[in-house]
Structures are given as C-alpha cells and as structure tokens.
Amino acid sequence: MKVAIPKETVNGEFRVSASPEVVGKLVGLGFDVFIEEGAGLGASFADGAYKDVGAKISNNMEAVLKSADMVWKINAPTPKQINGMKKGAILLANLDSLNNKKGNQALAKAEIIAFGMELMPRISRAQSMDILSSQANLAGYKAVLDAANEYGCALPMMMTAAGTVPPAKVFIMGVGVAGLQAIATAKRLGAVVTATDVRPATREQVESLGGKFLTVDEEMEKGAETDTGYAKEMPQEYFVKQKQIVAEHVKKQNIVITTALIPGRPAPVLMTKEMISTMQPGSVIVDLAVDAGGNVEGSKSGEIVVSSNGVKIVGHTNLPSRIAESASSLFGRNLLNFIKPMVDNDKGSLNFDWEDETVLGTLVSRDGKVVNERLQSKKKGS
C-alpha cells in the first residue's frame, strides 16, 4: 500500500504529518511511504532521516498522489491536490470539516475516502488518536511562553538582596486541554494562577494543578457540557454575568490567556475593550481563539496589538506550528494509532470496520457522498 506525505502549503505551517519515527513504523507495517522532498524541514526533520527508516523521497509529489492509496496531511488538501488524487484514495487530515462545506463536497465528488481527524469522538479509547487534544496541549504550553516573552517582569517570585519581585498573576479563561496545560505551565514557572470555565466539572482539574477556580454561575453551568465533552454555547444572560465577574478579576491580573472554542461556531468574546481598559500597562493577553474570530475584542490574527492603555494583545496563529517538531511527532502518532487496528498484516493494507465509533465519527466522505452525521445535521440546520 502506497502512502503519500506531501509538504504543507498553508502559509506559516511548519508541521509535517509524520515524523521519521512514525514513518519507520509505517514501513514496518508493510507500507511504501513517499515523502515530498523537504516536507519535514520546517519541523527539523531532514530528508535523510526519512530515508534512514525506509521512506522514499519524491521531488514530484503530483505524480505520487495520482497512485497513492493513502495520503496523510496536517491541513485539508488544496483543490489541485484533491483533483490529483486517485478515486478511492484514503485521506487523513484536519479537514476543518465543520467549517468547510465546499471542501467536504469536493472530496466527495472526487470519490475520496476522507477522514476529518478533528471529528474524533471524545471517548477513552480514542484519546491516543485525538489530534485536537495533542495539538491543543502544545498550544496551551506555547501560549504561556509567548505571554512570558512579552511580559516585562519575571513570572516567579524572586527574592534578591535588592528586594523581592512578586509572582505574576495569570488568569486562564477556558479549561479544555489547552487551558489545563496553560495552568500547569504557568504554575511550573512560578505564577499565581486562576482559571474559569462554563463547565463546573473542570474546578477539580484546575485545583489539582494548583490553580484557583473562578465560578460565574453554578446553576447555569450545570448543563454546560455536551455528551462528547465539549462546551455548549451558553445563553446570553450567562455571558452578561461572566463579564461582570471577570471584569473585576482581570483588573488585578498580569497575564490573561483565553482558550474558549466551540466546534463549528465563532469563538465567544470573553474579553471586551472595557475590561482591557482596566488592566495595568504592560499586562499581556494571549488570544488562542484568534483563528476562530477571537475571544478578545481588538485581537488581530497574526499580530501583537498594543491597546491605548499599554496592554499587549497577542494574536499568534497556529501555535502548534510554532513548536513544529513536537507537534508533528504527536500528530503523526495520532494518525498511526487510528489506522493500526485496521491494518491487515498479511496483505499490507487497511481493512476498516465501518461500524467502529472512531471510524464513523471521523469519516467525512465515502462513495461520492458526504456521510458524516454531524455534517449532515449541520447542513439541515443551516
């Protein structure tokens, strides 16, 4: 079975969909793996490292795609790549399928068996396959480092002969995977950490990491989580109350990191201009949701904006790509863990169980149709 791993073409994307370690395991499973020349350089993986584990390096990926049985990518393929793939080819990638109806239809029309790995069900068995979790974990870590880099003071308390430097106060808004890692990282750096989330179940997680939980409204928060573990969209009155409580809290914070995302919907605004205006000069806000419209009023994708009162609003995009080597390694392992149960070792091919929960949950297109129930219900409701 022929596997193609093209170089990513999205601007600012340095990740690659498989590290040499993962490619070596694919070769060990009996697959013929073709890597586009230079595909791993952005993640510090040289072509030679792939060759050493048995992969073939191609300077003509268009020709490879025409005959590839399976394609691994970080991001959704371009229209040209879709049209260049053979019918029946298997595609594994983050397709952003909840927001990419046109791309879903193009994959179906080309008769590609496409898996949107971002749709992986939040079940225990699928944790090792979950690209959103692995990449969000790194994003939360990198967000704290970016904040520390922009903040003009030290994060931990420092006691010196010249006096004491107080610890920084860090506030995390949204306690998903990224938020939890941000809490852990900020605590390791010595900051005083508080956090909030619409899901009350996260209180215990925050406190287990040494943070303090900021509650908004316990009654409304009781039904704030979906069956799949994601946050629900909250009623407007909740956000009014949240803004009042958060507004008082952020006045005393040095760093705020916002991580709130709702799959398939614009990111909720958590930090208004009024709140920002009450923060001290030199404070830093990192908007991890800037790619989805932003949690912070005034944040700009790919830019660091300084407010009129001297608050830095960091809008770096694609944070996992800013730590590309680790992100690529984890992404590739997610994809490998997904296909391994389906590998037919005797034939060196894949034998999908189409009733398996992980397969059903991520399958976007098959037999010329968009087949995922989440995408079909979204279409009916639009």
Side-chain angles (χ1 to χ4, degrees):
M1 190 171 188
K2 188 173 181 179
V3 181
I5 299 178
K7 185 176 182 178
E8 296 298 319
T9 58
V10 173
N11 187 38
E13 182 59 82
F14 300 108
R15 293 174 293 173
V16 63
S17 58
S19 64
E21 174 209 4
V22 168
V23 168
K25 291 179 178 179
L26 282 174
V27 172
L29 289 171
F31 296 109
D32 293 322
V33 184
F34 290 76
I35 311 286
E36 184 169 3
E37 187 175 32
L41 291 179
S44 306
F45 301 133
D47 289 344
Y50 288 108
K51 290 175 71 174
D52 290 344
V53 295
K56 301 175 181 66
I57 307 301
S58 172
N59 60 7
N60 186 0
M61 186 49 61
E62 286 187 24
V64 173
L65 286 175
K66 289 180 181 178
S67 56
D69 302 296
M70 180 164 57
V71 179
W72 283 20
K73 286 191 90 278
I74 294 286
N75 301 296
T78 64
K80 184 178 180 180
Q81 287 173 327
I82 292 173
N83 293 330
M85 293 167 63
K86 73 174 187 179
K87 291 182 179 180
I90 298 163
L91 170 67
L92 275 61
N94 183 344
L95 300 177
D96 190 25
S97 52
L98 289 170
N99 301 308
N100 192 12
K101 180 180 176 182
K102 186 176 180 181
N104 300 337
Q105 294 294 342
L107 289 165
K109 185 177 179 181
E111 296 186 35
I112 306 300
I113 301 171
F115 292 92
M117 299 302 293
E118 76 282 2
L119 300 174
M120 186 64 65
R122 288 288 174 92
I123 55 176
S124 297
R125 180 168 59 87
Q127 287 180 356
S128 67
M129 314 170 192
D130 190 346
I131 63 168
L132 292 186
S133 290
S134 72
Q135 303 303 290
N137 198 306
L138 292 170
Y141 163 78
K142 185 62 173 167
V144 175
L145 298 189
D146 286 344
N149 187 57
E150 297 299 330
Y151 183 50
C153 300
L155 265 65
M157 175 186 285
M158 291 190 174
M159 301 179 71
T160 74
T164 300
V165 176
K169 296 177 180 177
V170 177
F171 181 41
I172 312 297
M173 301 185 72
V175 189
V177 175
L180 288 169
Q181 183 55 247
I183 293 167
T185 302
K187 285 296 293 183
R188 283 196 293 266
L189 291 175
V192 175
V193 183
T194 53
T196 189
D197 194 284
V198 299
R199 298 164 296 171
T202 59
R203 174 191 288 272
E204 187 177 336
Q205 295 171 310
V206 170
E207 293 174 348
S208 72
L209 294 170
K212 183 178 179 181
F213 192 79
L214 183 69
T215 302
V216 175
D217 187 309
E218 290 187 10
E219 280 303 312
M220 279 194 277
E221 289 168 351
K222 285 180 180 177
E225 189 171 359
T226 67
D227 293 337
T228 53
Y230 292 99
K232 286 183 181 178
E233 189 168 21
M234 299 296 284
Q236 190 60 37
E237 56 265 32
Y238 177 85
F239 290 112
V240 172
K241 190 168 185 178
Q242 181 188 51
K243 286 175 183 176
Q244 292 171 346
I245 294 173
V246 169
E248 281 302 310
H249 190 66
V250 298
K251 291 178 183 179
K252 305 170 188 175
Q253 303 303 303
N254 305 117
I255 292 172
V256 176
I257 297 173
T258 65
T259 73
L261 286 168
I262 301 170
R265 294 179 179 272
V269 175
L270 305 181
M271 288 287 293
T272 64
K273 291 180 180 178
E274 290 75 20
M275 293 179 189
I276 297 167
S277 69
T278 67
M279 296 179 72
Q280 295 298 310
S283 300
V284 177
I285 304 171
V286 179
D287 188 351
L288 274 181
V290 70
D291 285 333
N295 295 145
V296 183
E297 273 193 315
S299 66
K300 291 187 179 180
S301 182
E303 297 183 27
I304 298 176
V305 178
V306 181
S307 71
S308 58
N309 60 318
V311 177
K312 291 183 179 180
I313 305 170
V314 180
H316 293 317
T317 61
N318 195 358
L319 262 67
S321 181
R322 291 167 56 80
I323 188 167
E325 184 173 345
S326 296
S328 300
S329 295
L330 294 180
F331 191 100
R333 289 176 200 166
N334 290 148
L335 269 55
L336 179 67
N337 291 334
F338 174 64
I339 68 163
K340 274 182 75 174
M342 321 294 178
V343 175
D344 186 326
N345 293 316
D346 294 330
K347 297 180 180 178
S349 61
L350 292 178
N351 182 22
F352 285 104
D353 176 2
W354 301 108
E355 298 302 317
D356 183 274
E357 196 170 353
T358 63
V359 174
L360 274 175
T362 56
L363 183 63
V364 171
S365 63
R366 185 187 178 201
D367 297 330
K369 299 176 183 177
V370 175
V371 296
N372 193 283
E373 285 188 6
R374 289 179 68 184
L375 304 180
Q376 290 172 338
S377 61
K378 184 176 178 64
K379 181 178 178 183
K380 290 173 185 175
S382 61

